[in-house]
Amino acid sequence: MGKIPCCDKSGVKKGAWTPEEDQILVNYIKRHGHGTWRSLPKHAGLLRCGKSCRLRWTNYLRPGIKRGPFSQEEENTIIQLHAMFGNRWAVIASQLPGRTDNEIKNYWNTHLKKRAICLAENLQENLLLCQYDNPSHIKDQLSNVTRHMIQWESARVEAELRLSTESSQLSSSPNKMADRYLQLWNSDIGKSFREIKPKDGDMYQSNEPEITSTAKFGSSSSVPIQAGNIKNSNSTNIIQQERDGYKPITDSNSSSLCDFSDFTSTVSDMLLDSPVGYDLDFFQENEDGFAISLDRSPDNPLLF
DNA sequence: AAGCCTTCCAACCGCCGGCCA
DNA sequence: CTGGCCGGCGGTTGGAAGGCT
């Protein structure tokens, strides 16, 4: 049987669109609407397949498309939504007016993903070092781990807050919240927590590499999120931290995994139970690794 | 200046789900 | 219920542009 291709390959032009083709497409759609994309090229007089026309229109020619570099706010939104939804670019794009899924996907793959991977690898390296360094060094490494976790949790919490205020349906459904947490846990960012590779006698026990049941997140995801005083743009810290001197490492061939669920739930609890809302400034390192602080100086590595 | 390398992004490709006959 | 059509989505790629030696 086989699927009928969207267009006859012969006689169909491929590659970059010319300004003339753009003009033809725009003029036609302005006059007639796009109708069925498959028949559009024939009616408009274009030697393109319908899919190509649709892509060109939705990603480039459609009115309201925003060109140019992403703002910090847009970047934050992408990071948060990617933490929530993974590579569901269309969902992410729906929250960024004027941006297309293709553009966001490209931006993630060329800018944000790289940073996230660097950070995750650095985290992994830090934990490896913990096993060989002197005990006093461990606290520093743990601080890095803690920082990373706090950032991850803050991105998640803020994203959940945002979505919960936008969708009363979702916030009223623990299962859907759990599903979102599950997606988050199975995303690249969540993966960075799971794929820590301790050696023998590791500090953390490796259990579940990938969670596939929403039941695992029952308690965390059902925590009611209140709209209010969460500090904005927490997630940018992931990027900022990388910019501020986190160095990438190359060893990423991990096979054993380390479960951070205890850690993350602890940090999550601290965040969610905080009497001062979701402001993260109170986190700061001390001699025990991390503690609560009101230090708001720019040098505080936990400030976002 | 020239060649090579890397980065970035527009566009392509194949798959999937919804709709309809 | 089934099969075909269609649009949408996400992964991937090719080439242009810029940087480096």
Side-chain angles (χ1 to χ4, degrees):
Chain A
M1 196 153 46
K3 193 173 171 61
I4 299 170
C6 73
C7 53
D8 182 4
K9 300 291 178 188
S10 61
V12 172
K13 192 177 169 193
K14 290 169 68 174
W17 280 64
T18 65
E20 291 76 23
E21 287 175 314
D22 284 345
Q23 200 57 54
I24 291 169
L25 181 60
V26 169
N27 288 343
Y28 180 85
I29 292 177
K30 272 183 183 170
R31 255 183 271 139
H32 306 98
H34 63 71
T36 57
W37 287 109
R38 187 187 281 257
S39 61
L40 184 146
K42 197 175 76 180
H43 294 140
L46 286 164
L47 294 175
R48 295 276 180 173
C49 77
K51 253 186 177 183
S52 182
C53 293
R54 185 182 64 81
L55 209 66
R56 184 64 179 170
W57 173 257
T58 55
N59 286 345
Y60 205 84
L61 301 174
R62 177 167 55 95
I65 294 286
K66 197 193 284 183
R67 315 299 306 177
F70 282 75
S71 68
Q72 189 66 56
E73 192 182 353
E74 287 174 317
E75 213 173 68
N76 299 342
T77 304
I78 293 169
I79 291 167
Q80 289 168 8
L81 292 177
H82 189 272
M84 296 294 299
F85 297 110
N87 294 358
R88 295 176 64 187
W89 306 116
V91 175
I92 296 172
S94 70
Q95 300 300 314
L96 291 165
R99 299 293 189 183
T100 68
D101 54 351
N102 205 37
E103 195 177 13
I104 292 167
K105 177 172 56 182
N106 282 334
Y107 190 67
W108 174 267
N109 286 331
T110 57
H111 294 88
L112 304 180
K113 187 178 182 181
K114 215 176 295 174
R115 295 174 194 166
I117 288 172
C118 285
L119 192 70
E121 287 177 341
N122 183 63
L123 173 70
Q124 193 170 304
E125 174 73 4
N126 284 339
L127 281 174
L128 279 174
L129 286 172
C130 282
Q131 297 168 75
Y132 300 108
D133 288 353
N134 61 62
S136 65
H137 200 168
I138 289 177
K139 111 189 147 174
D140 298 327
Q141 307 302 337
L142 278 178
S143 296
N144 287 333
V145 172
T146 306
R147 272 188 224 127
H148 187 67
M149 289 190 310
I150 290 169
Q151 287 156 4
W152 184 79
E153 285 294 333
S154 66
R156 181 186 66 78
V157 168
E158 187 178 346
E160 288 204 349
L161 168 64
R162 180 185 291 203
L163 287 173
S164 69
T165 56
E166 288 172 0
S167 168
S168 58
Q169 263 194 325
L170 275 179
S171 62
S172 65
S173 168
N175 284 340
K176 287 183 179 177
M177 294 287 282
D179 286 343
R180 292 215 312 273
Y181 198 166
L182 173 62
Q183 287 169 336
L184 170 60
W185 184 253
N186 288 329
S187 72
D188 287 347
I189 296 175
K191 194 177 172 191
S192 74
F193 285 92
R194 287 184 270 111
E195 292 192 349
I196 306 300
K197 49 171 186 183
K199 296 193 175 175
D200 295 342
D202 44 0
M203 297 158 59
Y204 317 111
Q205 293 301 308
S206 174
N207 292 320
E208 304 128 274
E210 184 133 344
I211 297 168
T212 55
S213 163
T214 55
K216 289 186 181 291
F217 296 105
S219 60
S220 275
S221 59
S222 61
V223 172
I225 307 290
Q226 295 175 340
N229 49 358
I230 182 167
K231 186 173 182 176
N232 197 18
S233 68
N234 298 339
S235 56
T236 57
N237 221 19
I238 295 172
I239 297 157
Q240 193 59 47
Q241 198 174 58
E242 196 267 334
R243 283 180 184 150
D244 288 348
Y246 270 64
K247 293 195 210 93
I249 59 166
T250 54
D251 179 12
S252 60
N253 299 321
S254 171
S255 57
S256 65
L257 303 168
C258 179
D259 185 6
F260 264 83
S261 53
D262 288 347
F263 254 149
T264 52
S265 61
T266 300
V267 176
S268 181
D269 289 347
M270 291 171 80
L271 288 165
L272 295 172
D273 294 343
S274 165
V276 293
Y278 301 108
D279 191 319
L280 297 173
D281 291 1
F282 57 85
F283 278 106
Q284 194 194 25
E285 296 170 70
N286 68 4
E287 57 202 81
D288 296 318
F290 60 89
I292 293 173
S293 165
L294 293 176
D295 179 10
R296 290 172 179 269
S297 75
D299 294 329
N300 186 339
L302 299 173
L303 286 177
F304 306 129

